[in-house]
Amino acid sequence: MLTLGPKGTNDIMPGEIEKWHYIEDIIRKICHEYGYSEIRTPIFEHTELFHRGVGDTTDVVEKEMYTFEDKGKRSISLRPENTASAVRAYVEHKLYASPQPVKVYYIGQMFRYANVQAGRYRQFHQFGVEVFGSRDPAVDAEVIAMAMDFYNRLGLKEIELHINSVGCPQCRSAHREELHNYLKPNFDGLCKLCQSRFTRNPMRILDCKEEQCQKFSKDAPTTTDCLCEECAVHFEGVKKLLDSIGISYIVDKRLVRGLDYYTNTAFEIMARDIGAQSSIGGGGRYDGLIEQVGGPPTPGIGYALGMERIITTMERQGISFPKGAQVDVFIATLGEKAKTKAFQLVYNLRGSGLAAEMDLVGKSLKAQMKQANRFECKFTLILGEEELEKGIAVVRDMANGEQAEVPLQEVVQYIAEKL
Ligand SMILES: [Zn+2]
Ligand SMILES: [Zn+2]
């Protein structure tokens, strides 16, 4: 047991981490371009925050949270997502008093005690953004545009953007009533879960995966059919802006986000993945959330994706990742004296910003040369008794095999100039 990590967790090992760095670099760059600043919130929060900010009735909060009592008898939970924490921080630091909108992004671990299956882990990573303080359709369109821009930069192919509007609480109570009237005659035919949703949250019946429910709800009125004037105008505004920058989308009237604080825009991005389509991210507007968590009424919208899912989708689509940074110089040595000299040289090379390595386990010269090849380093330096006596080193340019004898005190400068 001691040599196995807990179920549902992964070590990201050297060789794999370079993919994460590559994607994270793209994230940081694109977030900078779109005006987002990074926020880092704690990995654990008061449990109550997630009850309010994710929703009591969600599976995530009901069944999947890592909740424990700390030594001060407080109920603490590991974060199952990051939006609630970002909202809490926005309120706690009174960012509503600074110029709006406030745009933040995060990358980090999330925790859910769920069944472990392909692509689902108990510790996983999300990248996400939140925008607080504006309900302008331009904000919605910008968040969506950034998400699509990000997938394109990663090189993902066959991506589909699905959008919808779930309206405001007024539209939704109209919708709820129409839905009740429509589904009532077939109540007995719905699955157990949907029967309980009928009063609690009938909108969720529209995206139930059970065949019988899909049959009964196929032509049911959707939120989009019941939008009030203001919400209809908002949705048109978002679509018009997406059109203006050539982002194509599918209006998916069945795309819903069930909780009361979700409003207006909902979106999801799908990618082709081993024959089927799978979600590679999504988000939407949550104008009721900040108030729900105890802040002043403030509009907001967010978007998140699972990093593990992105990496596996890229791999399955055959997208290659660039290699991590290379070793610039490897110093191969022969004899104790040469080793001491190499130690100094490596130190000086690193001091001038180069990645330098030398043998640290007493390998033969031949084995050292093999290692230099494995590092795919740009230069190899050979240092033995003879070279030391002459005060030179043999520098080999690994790209073209050219060798030069370089005075020891000029080695650092010589290599720095060549690179
Ligand atoms: Zn409305
Ligand atoms: Zn159902």
Side-chain angles (χ1 to χ4, degrees):
M1 283 296 278
L2 278 180
T3 53
L4 290 176
K7 188 174 176 187
T9 64
N10 291 305
D11 298 310
I12 306 170
M13 302 296 286
E16 187 69 16
I17 196 73
E18 292 77 9
K19 297 175 185 171
W20 291 74
H21 289 163
Y22 170 66
I23 296 175
E24 286 163 10
D25 285 348
I26 293 177
I27 288 174
R28 292 186 199 289
K29 181 151 195 310
I30 200 168
C31 283
H32 168 70
E33 290 169 10
Y34 279 79
Y36 289 81
S37 303
E38 187 178 0
I39 185 170
R40 295 189 190 176
T41 62
I43 274 172
F44 59 88
E45 296 272 2
H46 296 294
T47 302
E48 180 61 17
L49 175 69
F50 301 118
H51 278 272
R52 298 248 228 133
V54 179
D56 280 329
T57 58
T58 57
D59 280 358
V60 170
V61 169
E62 268 183 350
K63 302 176 199 152
E64 296 177 355
M65 275 212 298
Y66 278 89
T67 298
F68 59 95
E69 197 173 76
D70 73 3
K71 290 186 173 148
K73 304 255 180 270
R74 301 169 196 92
S75 181
I76 294 292
S77 293
L78 301 184
R79 61 184 184 194
E81 53 96 89
N82 214 148
T83 301
S85 304
V87 169
R88 186 212 26 84
Y90 175 83
V91 176
E92 180 172 337
H93 298 276
K94 299 189 174 60
L95 293 187
Y96 47 79
S98 60
Q100 306 295 301
V102 170
K103 299 177 174 183
V104 294
Y105 77 94
Y106 58 83
I107 310 174
Q109 291 100 320
M110 312 296 153
F111 306 86
R112 292 184 194 179
Y113 192 85
N115 283 333
V116 177
Q117 40 181 286
R120 277 196 82 174
Y121 308 105
R122 291 182 178 169
Q123 177 185 273
F124 58 99
H125 298 75
Q126 283 189 334
F127 154 55
V129 305
E130 315 291 346
V131 184
F132 302 117
S134 169
R135 69 180 307 275
D136 194 307
V139 173
D140 307 50
E142 190 188 271
V143 168
I144 294 170
M146 185 186 130
M148 298 308 285
D149 200 350
F150 173 61
Y151 297 122
N152 287 330
R153 290 189 201 192
L154 293 179
L156 283 165
K157 297 174 283 272
E158 297 190 67
I159 297 170
E160 255 174 29
L161 166 64
H162 294 226
I163 61 169
N164 192 23
S165 176
V166 298
C168 65
Q170 284 76 22
C171 320
R172 274 216 299 285
S173 68
H175 177 238
R176 179 184 284 251
E177 209 178 305
E178 289 209 18
L179 207 52
H180 271 158
N181 293 337
Y182 184 89
L183 290 171
K184 203 177 268 165
N186 293 313
F187 179 84
D188 293 334
L190 297 173
C191 76
K192 278 260 146 29
L193 183 59
C194 285
Q195 290 189 350
S196 78
R197 284 167 171 162
F198 187 79
T199 37
R200 246 185 354 159
N201 198 350
M203 207 156 78
R204 292 301 307 269
I205 298 174
L206 299 182
D207 69 355
C208 179
K209 302 287 176 272
E210 295 290 332
E211 206 178 310
Q212 79 251 41
C213 303
Q214 291 196 344
K215 192 178 77 193
F216 292 133
S217 69
K218 190 161 63 75
D219 299 312
T222 63
T223 52
T224 338
D225 299 324
C226 305
L227 293 183
C228 70
E229 173 78 27
E230 202 188 331
C231 290
V233 168
H234 189 273
F235 193 35
E236 285 311 308
V238 175
K239 289 190 285 184
K240 222 173 85 187
L241 287 167
L242 291 175
D243 292 338
S244 78
I245 50 174
I247 290 183
S248 52
Y249 50 82
I250 294 163
V251 175
D252 179 355
K253 293 183 171 189
R254 303 180 83 78
L255 177 62
V256 295
R257 312 181 81 209
L259 298 169
D260 277 349
Y261 52 74
Y262 287 121
T263 53
N264 300 101
T265 311
F267 65 98
E268 190 166 14
I269 296 99
M270 315 288 285
R272 191 154 294 284
D273 184 12
I274 30 178
Q277 276 199 325
S278 69
S279 171
I280 50 167
R285 186 163 272 291
Y286 48 71
D287 288 348
L289 177 60
I290 289 113
E291 218 175 342
Q292 175 86 10
V293 167
T298 310
I301 179 170
Y303 157 74
L305 62 82
M307 295 283 286
E308 284 84 356
R309 176 68 66 82
I310 290 297
I311 291 174
T312 51
T313 309
M314 287 174 73
E315 286 169 344
R316 286 194 190 123
Q317 290 196 355
I319 297 166
S320 58
F321 292 84
K323 273 199 209 134
Q326 275 172 279
V327 173
D328 296 313
V329 191
F330 182 86
I331 305 187
T333 56
L334 197 63
E336 251 341 277
K337 270 192 192 152
K339 204 167 171 180
T340 305
K341 186 68 204 171
F343 189 80
Q344 291 171 7
L345 276 174
V346 162
Y347 180 78
N348 292 335
L349 284 161
R350 288 170 179 163
S352 55
L354 302 176
E357 286 292 336
M358 64 181 283
D359 171 52
L360 296 172
V361 289
K363 284 193 177 108
S364 71
L365 188 61
K366 198 176 152 202
Q368 291 181 54
M369 294 310 286
K370 257 194 193 159
Q371 182 169 11
N373 274 329
R374 222 178 18 250
F375 278 137
E376 297 181 34
C377 58
K378 295 169 192 154
F379 290 91
T380 307
L381 228 115
I382 302 160
L383 209 55
E385 300 283 328
E386 203 188 314
E387 285 79 14
L388 276 187
E389 256 164 47
K390 287 203 263 175
I392 54 118
V394 179
V395 179
R396 178 188 291 180
D397 185 333
M398 301 300 273
N400 54 23
E402 272 173 27
Q403 295 204 149
E405 293 193 346
V406 181
L408 280 175
Q409 61 271 32
E410 288 169 25
V411 161
V412 176
Q413 201 194 346
Y414 175 85
I415 292 175
E417 275 170 11
K418 284 239 169 188
L419 277 171

